[in-house]
Structures are given as C-alpha cells and as structure tokens.
C-alpha cells in the first residue's frame, strides 16, 4: 500500500511546499531572505517605487531599530509622504502587499501647507516590519 501511494505523497508534499512558500512570502513579502546589511536599501528602493506608482511624493525616510518581540525583530522606518487621500491609501496597501507583514504604529495626516490647491495631504508614519531573529 505504501509503494502504491508513493506518487500521491510526492504530489501532496509538492503542494504543501508551494503553500509554505506562499505563506512565507505573504508574511515577509519580497524581503524574504534579504540579508540585514541590504535591508535598508531594499526597503528604501521599494518605498520609492511604490510612491512613484501611486502618485505619492516620498519626502523623508529615517530608518531605525525597534525592539525584539518574542522571536521577531522590529525594523522601524519614520516616513513622511505627500499625496491625495486615496493615493496615500493605495500606497499603504501596496506597502503591505510588497513588504509583507507591515504595521503602521503611528500616523498623522494634515493638509500639505506647501500645496496651493489644498487637495494634498502630508502623512507621517512609523512603519514597522518584522523579521524572525534568526533571519536578522
């Protein structure tokens, strides 16, 4: 019976590996297996690309280090952007899609004083990404 089920088990293992890879990507986004010394430049590049795609101006990014929470290390970024309300909303969704499990710990929105039309907002975020300590 075991030899007759061998092909079924191999196919089931392949499906399970694919599922684990998909869940790992969902948790870590494209940062999966990114070495710590490349993490900041990777995230900065991704933030800029996401900003361009969503008509959001990336004004400032300040990297920092957070705490260790159980088996995860916090990777903090203070980010200031300027854009329309829905553009900033789409920017946040793209951030989550591309960078994996991202938490906005703090945010504030205010009218962008440098904009004459008053339609743009300035948003301040503290964005936290989590990495397993063994990956850090």
């Amino acid at each position: 019976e075991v030899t007759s089920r061998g092909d079924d088990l191999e196919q089931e293992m392949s499906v399970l590996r694919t599922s684990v890879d998909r869940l790992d990507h969902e948790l870590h986004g494209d940062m999966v297996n990114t070495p710590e010394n490349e993490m900041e430049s990777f995230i900065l590049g991704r933030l800029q690309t996401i900003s361009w795609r969503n008509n959001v101006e990336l004004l400032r990014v300040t990297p920092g280090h957070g705490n260790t929470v159980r088996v995860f290390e916090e990777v903090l970024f203070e980010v200031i952007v300027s854009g329309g309300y829905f553009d900033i909303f789409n920017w946040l969704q793209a951030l989550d899609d591309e960078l994996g499990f991202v938490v906005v710990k703090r945010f504030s929105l205010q009218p962008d004083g440098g904009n004459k039309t008053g339609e743009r907002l300035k948003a301040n975020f503290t964005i936290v990404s989590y990495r397993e300590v063994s990956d850090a």
Side-chain angles (χ1 to χ4, degrees):
E1 185 179 334
V2 170
T3 56
S4 66
R5 289 197 50 211
D7 290 338
D8 292 339
L9 290 176
E10 190 61 41
Q11 184 178 5
E12 189 176 330
M13 287 296 292
S14 176
V15 168
L16 290 172
R17 278 188 211 102
T18 303
S19 180
V20 167
D21 290 343
R22 184 183 51 76
L23 290 171
D24 198 31
H25 187 270
E26 188 176 319
L27 178 62
H28 298 289
D30 292 337
M31 291 189 301
V32 127
N33 299 324
T34 302
E36 184 178 6
N37 61 348
E38 297 174 16
M39 177 70 87
E40 285 183 13
S41 61
F42 174 84
I43 290 176
L44 289 171
R46 232 5 113 87
L47 287 172
Q48 185 60 66
T49 302
I50 292 168
S51 297
W52 285 331
R53 222 181 21 237
N54 289 286
N55 194 31
V56 170
E57 185 179 356
L58 187 61
L59 301 175
R60 186 173 71 198
V61 178
T62 308
H65 290 284
N67 300 319
T68 301
V69 180
R70 297 189 187 240
V71 296
F72 295 100
E73 175 191 20
E74 293 180 328
V75 181
L76 295 171
F77 288 88
E78 299 290 334
V79 180
I80 300 176
V81 297
S82 175
Y85 177 83
F86 291 107
D87 294 331
I88 292 173
F89 176 80
N90 291 333
W91 182 86
L92 281 168
Q93 285 195 311
L95 194 72
D96 184 54
D97 292 342
E98 293 190 32
L99 294 181
F101 187 68
V102 176
V103 174
V104 176
K105 275 195 154 180
R106 181 193 61 78
F107 74 94
S108 67
L109 291 171
Q110 63 234 9
D112 188 352
N115 188 309
K116 294 179 180 155
T117 63
E119 295 174 2
R120 290 180 71 85
L121 298 170
K122 186 181 277 188
N124 297 305
F125 297 105
T126 300
I127 297 171
V128 181
S129 180
Y130 292 89
R131 289 173 46 102
E132 288 183 63
V133 174
S134 61
D135 289 345

Coordinates of all heavy atoms in Angstrom, one line a residue, residues 35-125:
P35 N 19.5 39.8 3.4 CA 20.4 40.0 4.5 C 20.2 41.3 5.2 O 19.8 42.3 4.5 CB 21.8 39.9 3.8 CG 21.6 39.3 2.5 CD 20.1 39.6 2.1
E36 N 20.5 41.4 6.5 CA 20.3 42.6 7.2 C 21.1 43.8 6.6 O 20.5 44.9 6.6 CB 20.8 42.4 8.7 CG 20.5 43.6 9.6 CD 20.9 43.4 11.0 OE1 21.5 42.3 11.3 OE2 20.6 44.2 11.8
N37 N 22.3 43.6 6.1 CA 23.0 44.7 5.6 C 22.5 45.3 4.3 O 22.8 46.4 3.8 CB 24.5 44.4 5.4 CG 24.7 43.2 4.5 OD1 23.8 42.5 4.1 ND2 26.0 43.0 4.1
E38 N 21.5 44.6 3.7 CA 20.9 45.0 2.5 C 19.4 45.5 2.7 O 18.8 46.0 1.8 CB 20.9 43.9 1.4 CG 22.2 43.5 0.9 CD 22.2 42.3 0.0 OE1 21.1 42.0 -0.5 OE2 23.2 41.7 -0.2
M39 N 18.9 45.3 3.9 CA 17.5 45.5 4.2 C 17.1 47.0 4.0 O 16.1 47.3 3.4 CB 17.3 45.1 5.7 CG 15.8 45.4 6.1 SD 14.7 44.3 5.4 CE 14.7 43.0 6.5
E40 N 17.9 47.9 4.6 CA 17.5 49.3 4.5 C 17.5 49.8 3.0 O 16.5 50.4 2.6 CB 18.5 50.2 5.3 CG 18.3 50.1 6.7 CD 19.2 51.1 7.5 OE1 19.9 51.9 6.9 OE2 19.3 50.9 8.7
S41 N 18.5 49.5 2.2 CA 18.5 49.9 0.8 C 17.3 49.3 0.1 O 16.7 49.9 -0.8 CB 19.8 49.6 0.2 OG 20.1 48.3 0.2
F42 N 17.0 48.0 0.4 CA 15.9 47.3 -0.3 C 14.6 48.0 0.0 O 13.8 48.3 -0.9 CB 15.8 45.9 0.2 CG 14.6 45.1 -0.3 CD1 14.7 44.6 -1.6 CD2 13.5 45.0 0.4 CE1 13.5 43.9 -2.1 CE2 12.4 44.4 -0.1 CZ 12.4 43.8 -1.3
I43 N 14.4 48.3 1.3 CA 13.1 49.0 1.7 C 13.0 50.4 1.2 O 12.0 50.8 0.7 CB 12.9 49.0 3.3 CG1 12.7 47.5 3.7 CG2 11.8 49.9 3.7 CD1 12.6 47.3 5.2
L44 N 14.1 51.1 1.2 CA 14.1 52.5 0.6 C 13.8 52.5 -0.9 O 13.0 53.3 -1.4 CB 15.5 53.2 0.8 CG 15.8 53.6 2.3 CD1 17.2 54.0 2.4 CD2 14.8 54.7 2.7
G45 N 14.4 51.5 -1.6 CA 14.1 51.4 -3.0 C 12.6 51.0 -3.3 O 11.9 51.6 -4.1
R46 N 12.1 50.1 -2.5 CA 10.7 49.7 -2.6 C 9.7 50.9 -2.3 O 8.7 51.1 -2.9 CB 10.4 48.6 -1.7 CG 9.8 47.3 -2.2 CD 9.6 47.2 -3.7 NE 10.4 46.2 -4.3 CZ 10.1 45.0 -4.4 NH1 9.0 44.5 -4.0 NH2 11.0 44.1 -5.0
L47 N 10.0 51.6 -1.2 CA 9.2 52.8 -0.8 C 9.1 53.8 -2.0 O 8.1 54.3 -2.3 CB 9.7 53.4 0.4 CG 9.5 52.7 1.8 CD1 10.3 53.4 2.9 CD2 8.0 52.6 2.1
Q48 N 10.3 54.0 -2.6 CA 10.3 55.0 -3.7 C 9.5 54.5 -4.9 O 8.7 55.2 -5.5 CB 11.7 55.3 -4.1 CG 11.8 56.4 -5.2 CD 11.2 57.7 -4.7 OE1 11.8 58.3 -3.8 NE2 10.2 58.1 -5.3
T49 N 9.7 53.2 -5.2 CA 8.9 52.6 -6.3 C 7.4 52.7 -6.1 O 6.6 53.0 -7.0 CB 9.4 51.2 -6.6 OG1 10.8 51.2 -6.9 CG2 8.6 50.5 -7.8
I50 N 7.0 52.3 -4.9 CA 5.6 52.3 -4.5 C 5.1 53.7 -4.6 O 3.9 54.0 -5.0 CB 5.4 51.7 -3.1 CG1 5.7 50.2 -3.2 CG2 4.0 51.9 -2.6 CD1 5.8 49.5 -1.8
S51 N 5.9 54.7 -4.1 CA 5.4 56.1 -4.2 C 5.2 56.6 -5.6 O 4.2 57.2 -5.9 CB 6.5 57.0 -3.5 OG 6.6 56.6 -2.1
W52 N 6.2 56.3 -6.5 CA 6.0 56.7 -7.9 C 4.8 56.1 -8.5 O 4.0 56.8 -9.2 CB 7.2 56.3 -8.7 CG 8.5 57.1 -8.5 CD1 8.5 58.4 -8.1 CD2 9.8 56.7 -8.6 NE1 9.8 58.8 -8.0 CE2 10.6 57.8 -8.3 CE3 10.4 55.4 -8.9 CZ2 12.0 57.7 -8.3 CZ3 11.8 55.4 -9.0 CH2 12.6 56.5 -8.7
R53 N 4.5 54.8 -8.2 CA 3.4 54.1 -8.8 C 2.0 54.7 -8.3 O 1.0 54.6 -9.0 CB 3.5 52.7 -8.5 CG 3.2 51.8 -9.6 CD 3.3 50.3 -9.3 NE 3.2 49.9 -8.0 CZ 4.1 49.2 -7.3 NH1 5.2 48.8 -8.0 NH2 3.9 48.9 -6.1
N54 N 2.0 55.3 -7.1 CA 0.8 55.7 -6.5 C 0.6 57.2 -6.5 O -0.2 57.7 -5.7 CB 0.6 55.1 -5.1 CG 0.4 53.6 -5.2 OD1 -0.7 53.2 -5.5 ND2 1.4 52.8 -4.9
N55 N 1.5 58.0 -7.2 CA 1.4 59.4 -7.3 C 1.5 60.0 -5.9 O 0.8 61.0 -5.5 CB 0.0 59.9 -7.9 CG 0.1 61.3 -8.3 OD1 1.1 61.9 -8.6 ND2 -1.1 62.0 -8.2
V56 N 2.5 59.5 -5.1 CA 2.8 59.9 -3.8 C 4.2 60.4 -3.7 O 5.1 59.7 -4.3 CB 2.5 58.8 -2.7 CG1 3.1 59.2 -1.3 CG2 1.0 58.5 -2.6
E57 N 4.5 61.6 -3.1 CA 5.8 62.1 -3.0 C 6.4 61.6 -1.7 O 5.9 61.9 -0.6 CB 5.8 63.6 -3.1 CG 7.2 64.2 -3.1 CD 7.1 65.7 -3.2 OE1 6.0 66.3 -3.4 OE2 8.2 66.3 -3.2
L58 N 7.6 60.9 -1.8 CA 8.3 60.4 -0.6 C 9.2 61.5 -0.2 O 10.1 61.9 -0.9 CB 9.1 59.2 -1.0 CG 9.8 58.4 0.1 CD1 8.8 57.9 1.1 CD2 10.6 57.3 -0.5
L59 N 8.8 62.2 0.9 CA 9.6 63.3 1.4 C 10.8 63.0 2.3 O 11.8 63.6 2.2 CB 8.6 64.3 2.1 CG 7.4 64.8 1.4 CD1 6.5 65.6 2.2 CD2 7.9 65.6 0.2
R60 N 10.6 62.0 3.2 CA 11.7 61.7 4.1 C 11.5 60.2 4.6 O 10.4 59.8 4.9 CB 11.7 62.6 5.3 CG 12.9 62.4 6.1 CD 13.1 63.4 7.2 NE 12.1 63.2 8.2 CZ 11.7 64.2 9.1 NH1 12.3 65.3 9.1 NH2 10.8 63.9 10.0
V61 N 12.6 59.5 4.7 CA 12.6 58.2 5.3 C 13.8 58.2 6.3 O 14.9 58.5 5.9 CB 12.8 57.1 4.3 CG1 12.8 55.7 4.9 CG2 11.7 57.1 3.2
T62 N 13.5 57.8 7.5 CA 14.5 57.7 8.6 C 14.5 56.3 9.1 O 13.5 55.9 9.8 CB 14.3 58.7 9.7 OG1 14.2 60.0 9.1 CG2 15.4 58.7 10.7
P63 N 15.5 55.4 8.8 CA 15.5 54.1 9.4 C 15.8 54.1 10.9 O 16.5 55.0 11.4 CB 16.5 53.4 8.6 CG 17.3 54.4 7.9 CD 16.6 55.7 7.9
G64 N 15.3 53.1 11.6 CA 15.7 52.9 13.0 C 15.5 51.4 13.4 O 15.1 50.6 12.6
H65 N 15.8 51.2 14.6 CA 15.7 49.8 15.1 C 14.7 49.8 16.2 O 14.7 50.7 17.1 CB 17.0 49.3 15.6 CG 18.0 49.0 14.5 ND1 17.9 47.9 13.7 CD2 19.1 49.7 14.1 CE1 18.9 48.0 12.8 NE2 19.6 49.1 13.0
G66 N 13.9 48.8 16.2 CA 12.9 48.7 17.3 C 13.3 47.6 18.3 O 14.5 47.4 18.5
N67 N 12.3 47.1 18.9 CA 12.5 46.1 20.0 C 12.5 44.7 19.4 O 12.1 44.5 18.2 CB 11.4 46.2 21.0 CG 11.4 47.5 21.7 OD1 12.5 48.1 21.9 ND2 10.2 48.1 21.9
T68 N 12.9 43.7 20.2 CA 12.7 42.3 19.9 C 11.5 41.9 20.6 O 11.3 42.0 21.8 CB 13.9 41.5 20.3 OG1 15.1 42.0 19.6 CG2 13.7 40.0 19.9
V69 N 10.5 41.4 19.8 CA 9.2 40.9 20.3 C 9.2 39.4 20.1 O 9.0 38.9 19.0 CB 8.1 41.6 19.6 CG1 6.7 41.1 20.2 CG2 8.2 43.1 19.7
R70 N 9.4 38.7 21.2 CA 9.5 37.2 21.1 C 10.5 36.8 20.2 O 11.7 37.0 20.4 CB 8.1 36.6 20.9 CG 7.1 36.9 22.0 CD 5.8 36.1 21.8 NE 4.9 36.5 22.7 CZ 4.3 35.7 23.6 NH1 4.7 34.5 23.7 NH2 3.5 36.2 24.5
V71 N 10.2 36.2 19.0 CA 11.2 35.7 18.1 C 11.3 36.7 16.9 O 12.0 36.3 15.9 CB 10.8 34.3 17.6 CG1 10.9 33.3 18.7 CG2 9.5 34.3 16.8
F72 N 10.7 37.9 17.0 CA 10.8 38.8 15.9 C 11.5 40.1 16.3 O 11.4 40.6 17.4 CB 9.4 39.2 15.5 CG 8.6 38.1 14.9 CD1 7.7 37.4 15.7 CD2 8.8 37.7 13.6 CE1 6.9 36.3 15.1 CE2 8.1 36.6 13.0 CZ 7.1 35.9 13.8
E73 N 12.2 40.6 15.3 CA 12.9 41.9 15.4 C 12.1 42.9 14.7 O 11.7 42.7 13.5 CB 14.3 41.8 14.9 CG 15.1 43.1 14.9 CD 16.4 43.1 14.1 OE1 16.5 42.2 13.2 OE2 17.2 44.0 14.3
E74 N 11.9 44.1 15.3 CA 11.2 45.2 14.6 C 12.2 46.0 13.8 O 13.3 46.3 14.3 CB 10.6 46.1 15.6 CG 9.4 45.5 16.4 CD 8.8 46.5 17.4 OE1 9.6 47.4 17.9 OE2 7.6 46.4 17.6
V75 N 11.9 46.3 12.6 CA 12.6 47.1 11.7 C 11.8 48.4 11.5 O 10.7 48.3 10.8 CB 13.0 46.5 10.4 CG1 13.8 47.4 9.5 CG2 13.7 45.1 10.6
L76 N 12.2 49.5 12.1 CA 11.4 50.7 12.1 C 11.8 51.7 10.9 O 13.0 51.8 10.6 CB 11.5 51.5 13.4 CG 11.0 50.9 14.6 CD1 11.5 51.7 15.8 CD2 9.5 50.8 14.6
F77 N 10.8 52.4 10.4 CA 11.1 53.5 9.4 C 10.1 54.6 9.7 O 8.9 54.4 9.8 CB 10.9 53.0 8.0 CG 12.0 52.1 7.5 CD1 11.9 50.7 7.7 CD2 13.1 52.6 6.9 CE1 12.9 49.9 7.3 CE2 14.1 51.8 6.5 CZ 14.0 50.4 6.7
E78 N 10.6 55.8 10.0 CA 9.8 57.0 10.1 C 9.7 57.5 8.6 O 10.7 57.8 8.0 CB 10.5 58.1 11.0 CG 10.7 57.6 12.4 CD 9.4 57.5 13.2 OE1 8.4 58.2 12.8 OE2 9.4 56.7 14.1
V79 N 8.5 57.7 8.1 CA 8.3 58.0 6.8 C 7.3 59.2 6.7 O 6.3 59.3 7.4 CB 7.7 56.8 6.0 CG1 7.4 57.2 4.5 CG2 8.5 55.6 6.1
I80 N 7.7 60.2 5.8 CA 6.8 61.3 5.5 C 6.5 61.3 4.0 O 7.5 61.3 3.2 CB 7.4 62.6 6.0 CG1 7.7 62.6 7.5 CG2 6.5 63.8 5.6 CD1 8.4 63.9 8.0
V81 N 5.2 61.3 3.7 CA 4.8 61.4 2.3 C 3.8 62.5 2.1 O 3.2 63.0 3.0 CB 4.2 60.0 1.8 CG1 5.2 58.9 1.9 CG2 3.0 59.7 2.6
S82 N 3.6 62.8 0.8 CA 2.6 63.8 0.5 C 1.9 63.3 -0.7 O 2.4 62.8 -1.7 CB 3.3 65.1 0.1 OG 2.4 66.1 -0.4
G83 N 0.5 63.4 -0.7 CA -0.3 62.9 -1.8 C -1.8 63.1 -1.5 O -2.1 63.6 -0.4
G84 N -2.6 62.7 -2.4 CA -4.0 62.7 -2.2 C -4.4 61.6 -1.2 O -3.7 60.6 -1.0
Y85 N -5.6 61.8 -0.6 CA -6.1 60.8 0.4 C -6.1 59.4 -0.2 O -5.5 58.5 0.4 CB -7.5 61.2 0.9 CG -8.1 60.2 1.8 CD1 -7.7 60.3 3.2 CD2 -8.9 59.2 1.4 CE1 -8.3 59.4 4.1 CE2 -9.5 58.3 2.3 CZ -9.1 58.4 3.7 OH -9.6 57.5 4.5
F86 N -6.7 59.2 -1.3 CA -6.8 57.8 -1.9 C -5.5 57.3 -2.4 O -5.2 56.1 -2.4 CB -7.9 57.8 -3.0 CG -9.3 58.0 -2.4 CD1 -10.0 59.1 -2.6 CD2 -9.9 57.0 -1.7 CE1 -11.2 59.3 -2.0 CE2 -11.1 57.1 -1.1 CZ -11.8 58.3 -1.3
D87 N -4.6 58.2 -2.9 CA -3.3 57.8 -3.3 C -2.5 57.3 -2.1 O -1.8 56.3 -2.2 CB -2.5 59.0 -3.9 CG -3.1 59.5 -5.2 OD1 -3.7 58.6 -5.9 OD2 -3.0 60.7 -5.5
I88 N -2.6 58.0 -0.9 CA -1.9 57.5 0.3 C -2.5 56.2 0.7 O -1.8 55.3 1.2 CB -2.0 58.6 1.4 CG1 -1.1 59.8 1.0 CG2 -1.5 58.0 2.7 CD1 -1.2 61.0 1.9
F89 N -3.8 56.0 0.6 CA -4.5 54.8 1.0 C -3.9 53.6 0.1 O -3.5 52.6 0.6 CB -6.0 54.9 0.8 CG -6.7 53.6 1.1 CD1 -7.0 53.2 2.4 CD2 -7.1 52.8 0.0 CE1 -7.6 52.0 2.6 CE2 -7.8 51.6 0.3 CZ -8.1 51.2 1.6
N90 N -3.9 53.9 -1.2 CA -3.3 52.9 -2.1 C -1.9 52.6 -1.9 O -1.4 51.4 -2.0 CB -3.5 53.3 -3.6 CG -5.0 53.3 -4.0 OD1 -5.8 52.5 -3.4 ND2 -5.4 54.2 -4.9
W91 N -1.1 53.6 -1.5 CA 0.3 53.5 -1.1 C 0.5 52.5 0.0 O 1.3 51.6 0.0 CB 0.9 54.9 -0.8 CG 2.3 55.0 -0.5 CD1 3.3 55.1 -1.4 CD2 2.9 54.9 0.8 NE1 4.5 55.2 -0.7 CE2 4.3 55.1 0.6 CE3 2.4 54.8 2.1 CZ2 5.2 55.1 1.7 CZ3 3.3 54.8 3.2 CH2 4.6 55.0 3.0
L92 N -0.4 52.7 1.1 CA -0.3 51.8 2.2 C -0.6 50.4 1.9 O 0.0 49.4 2.4 CB -1.2 52.3 3.3 CG -0.7 53.5 4.1 CD1 -1.9 54.0 5.0 CD2 0.4 53.0 5.0
Q93 N -1.6 50.2 1.0 CA -2.0 48.8 0.6 C -0.8 48.2 -0.2 O -0.5 47.0 0.0 CB -3.3 48.8 -0.2 CG -4.5 49.0 0.7 CD -5.7 48.6 -0.1 OE1 -6.0 49.1 -1.2 NE2 -6.6 47.8 0.6
A94 N -0.2 48.9 -1.1 CA 0.9 48.4 -1.9 C 2.1 48.1 -1.0 O 2.8 47.1 -1.2 CB 1.3 49.4 -2.9
L95 N 2.3 48.9 0.0 CA 3.3 48.6 1.0 C 3.1 47.3 1.7 O 4.1 46.5 1.8 CB 3.3 49.8 2.1 CG 4.5 49.9 3.0 CD1 5.7 50.5 2.2 CD2 4.1 50.9 4.1
D96 N 1.9 47.0 2.1 CA 1.6 45.7 2.7 C 1.8 44.6 1.8 O 2.4 43.5 2.1 CB 0.2 45.7 3.3 CG -0.1 44.5 4.1 OD1 0.6 44.1 5.0 OD2 -1.1 43.8 3.7
D97 N 1.4 44.8 0.5 CA 1.5 43.7 -0.5 C 2.9 43.4 -0.8 O 3.3 42.2 -1.0 CB 0.8 44.1 -1.8 CG -0.7 44.2 -1.6 OD1 -1.3 43.6 -0.7 OD2 -1.4 44.8 -2.5
E98 N 3.8 44.4 -0.9 CA 5.2 44.2 -1.3 C 6.2 43.9 -0.2 O 7.2 43.3 -0.5 CB 5.6 45.3 -2.2 CG 4.8 45.4 -3.5 CD 5.4 46.4 -4.4 OE1 6.7 46.6 -4.4 OE2 4.6 47.0 -5.2
L99 N 5.9 44.4 0.9 CA 6.9 44.3 2.0 C 6.5 43.3 3.1 O 7.1 43.1 4.0 CB 7.2 45.6 2.7 CG 7.8 46.7 1.8 CD1 8.1 47.9 2.6 CD2 9.2 46.2 1.3
G100 N 5.3 42.6 2.9 CA 4.9 41.6 3.8 C 4.2 42.2 5.0 O 3.5 43.2 4.9
F101 N 4.3 41.5 6.1 CA 3.6 42.0 7.3 C 4.1 43.3 7.8 O 5.2 43.3 8.4 CB 3.6 40.9 8.4 CG 2.7 41.2 9.5 CD1 1.4 41.2 9.4 CD2 3.3 41.5 10.8 CE1 0.6 41.5 10.5 CE2 2.5 41.7 11.9 CZ 1.1 41.7 11.7
V102 N 3.5 44.3 7.5 CA 3.9 45.7 7.9 C 2.8 46.3 8.8 O 1.6 46.2 8.5 CB 4.1 46.6 6.7 CG1 4.5 48.0 7.1 CG2 5.2 46.0 5.8
V103 N 3.3 46.9 9.9 CA 2.4 47.5 10.8 C 2.6 49.0 10.9 O 3.8 49.5 10.9 CB 2.5 47.0 12.3 CG1 1.7 47.7 13.3 CG2 2.2 45.5 12.3
V104 N 1.6 49.8 10.8 CA 1.7 51.3 11.0 C 1.5 51.5 12.5 O 0.4 51.4 13.0 CB 0.7 52.1 10.1 CG1 0.8 53.6 10.4 CG2 1.0 51.8 8.6
K105 N 2.6 51.8 13.2 CA 2.5 52.0 14.7 C 1.9 53.4 15.0 O 1.3 53.6 16.0 CB 3.8 51.9 15.3 CG 4.2 50.4 15.7 CD 5.3 50.4 16.6 CE 5.3 49.2 17.4 NZ 6.4 49.1 18.4
R106 N 2.2 54.4 14.2 CA 1.8 55.8 14.5 C 1.6 56.5 13.1 O 2.4 56.2 12.2 CB 2.9 56.5 15.2 CG 2.6 57.9 15.6 CD 3.9 58.6 16.1 NE 4.9 58.7 15.1 CZ 4.9 59.6 14.1 NH1 4.0 60.4 13.9 NH2 6.0 59.6 13.3
F107 N 0.6 57.3 13.1 CA 0.4 58.1 11.8 C -0.3 59.4 12.2 O -1.0 59.5 13.2 CB -0.4 57.3 10.8 CG -1.9 57.2 11.1 CD1 -2.8 58.1 10.6 CD2 -2.3 56.2 11.9 CE1 -4.1 58.0 10.9 CE2 -3.7 56.1 12.2 CZ -4.6 57.0 11.7
S108 N -0.1 60.3 11.3 CA -0.8 61.6 11.4 C -1.0 62.1 10.0 O -0.1 61.9 9.1 CB -0.1 62.6 12.3 OG 1.1 63.0 11.7
L109 N -2.1 62.7 9.8 CA -2.4 63.4 8.5 C -2.7 64.8 8.7 O -3.4 65.2 9.7 CB -3.7 62.7 7.8 CG -3.6 61.3 7.4 CD1 -4.9 60.7 7.0 CD2 -2.6 61.2 6.2
Q110 N -2.3 65.7 7.8 CA -2.6 67.1 7.9 C -2.5 67.6 6.5 O -1.9 67.0 5.6 CB -1.6 67.8 8.8 CG -0.2 67.8 8.3 CD 0.8 67.3 9.4 OE1 0.4 66.8 10.4 NE2 2.0 67.4 9.1
P111 N -3.2 68.7 6.2 CA -3.1 69.4 4.9 C -1.7 69.7 4.6 O -0.9 70.1 5.4 CB -4.0 70.6 5.0 CG -4.8 70.4 6.2 CD -4.1 69.5 7.1
D112 N -1.3 69.5 3.3 CA 0.1 69.8 2.9 C 0.2 71.3 2.7 O -0.4 71.9 1.7 CB 0.5 69.1 1.6 CG 1.9 69.2 1.2 OD1 2.6 70.0 1.9 OD2 2.4 68.5 0.3
G113 N 0.8 72.0 3.6 CA 0.9 73.5 3.5 C 1.6 74.0 2.3 O 1.3 75.2 1.9
G114 N 2.4 73.3 1.7 CA 3.1 73.7 0.5 C 2.3 73.6 -0.8 O 2.7 74.0 -1.8
N115 N 1.1 73.1 -0.7 CA 0.3 72.8 -1.8 C -0.8 73.9 -1.9 O -1.6 74.1 -1.0 CB -0.3 71.4 -1.8 CG -1.1 71.1 -3.0 OD1 -1.9 71.8 -3.5 ND2 -0.8 69.9 -3.5
K116 N -0.9 74.6 -3.0 CA -1.8 75.7 -3.1 C -3.3 75.3 -3.3 O -4.2 76.0 -2.9 CB -1.4 76.6 -4.3 CG -0.1 77.3 -4.0 CD 0.3 78.2 -5.2 CE 1.6 78.8 -4.8 NZ 2.4 79.2 -5.9
T117 N -3.5 74.1 -3.8 CA -4.9 73.6 -4.1 C -5.5 73.1 -2.8 O -6.7 73.0 -2.7 CB -4.9 72.5 -5.2 OG1 -4.2 71.4 -4.7 CG2 -4.4 73.0 -6.5
G118 N -4.7 72.7 -1.8 CA -5.2 72.1 -0.6 C -5.8 70.7 -0.7 O -6.4 70.2 0.2
E119 N -5.5 70.1 -1.9 CA -6.1 68.7 -2.1 C -5.1 67.7 -1.6 O -5.5 66.5 -1.4 CB -6.4 68.5 -3.5 CG -7.5 69.4 -4.0 CD -7.7 69.3 -5.5 OE1 -7.0 68.5 -6.2 OE2 -8.6 70.0 -6.0
R120 N -3.9 68.0 -1.4 CA -2.9 67.0 -1.0 C -2.7 67.0 0.5 O -2.9 68.1 1.2 CB -1.5 67.3 -1.7 CG -1.6 67.0 -3.1 CD -0.3 67.2 -3.8 NE 0.8 66.3 -3.6 CZ 0.9 65.1 -4.2 NH1 0.1 64.7 -5.1 NH2 1.9 64.4 -3.9
L121 N -2.3 65.9 1.1 CA -2.1 65.7 2.5 C -0.7 65.4 2.7 O 0.0 64.8 1.9 CB -3.0 64.6 3.0 CG -4.5 64.8 2.9 CD1 -5.2 63.5 3.3 CD2 -4.9 65.9 3.8
K122 N -0.2 65.7 3.9 CA 1.1 65.3 4.3 C 0.9 64.2 5.4 O 0.1 64.5 6.3 CB 1.9 66.4 4.9 CG 3.4 66.0 5.3 CD 4.1 67.1 5.8 CE 4.7 68.0 4.7 NZ 5.6 69.0 5.2
A123 N 1.5 63.1 5.3 CA 1.3 62.0 6.2 C 2.6 61.6 6.8 O 3.6 61.4 6.1 CB 0.7 60.8 5.5
N124 N 2.6 61.4 8.1 CA 3.7 61.0 8.9 C 3.4 59.6 9.4 O 2.4 59.4 10.1 CB 4.0 61.9 10.1 CG 4.4 63.3 9.6 OD1 5.3 63.5 8.9 ND2 3.7 64.3 10.1
F125 N 4.3 58.6 9.1 CA 4.1 57.2 9.6 C 5.3 56.7 10.3 O 6.4 57.0 9.9 CB 3.9 56.3 8.4 CG 2.7 56.6 7.5 CD1 2.8 57.2 6.3 CD2 1.4 56.2 8.0 CE1 1.7 57.5 5.5 CE2 0.3 56.5 7.2 CZ 0.4 57.1 6.0

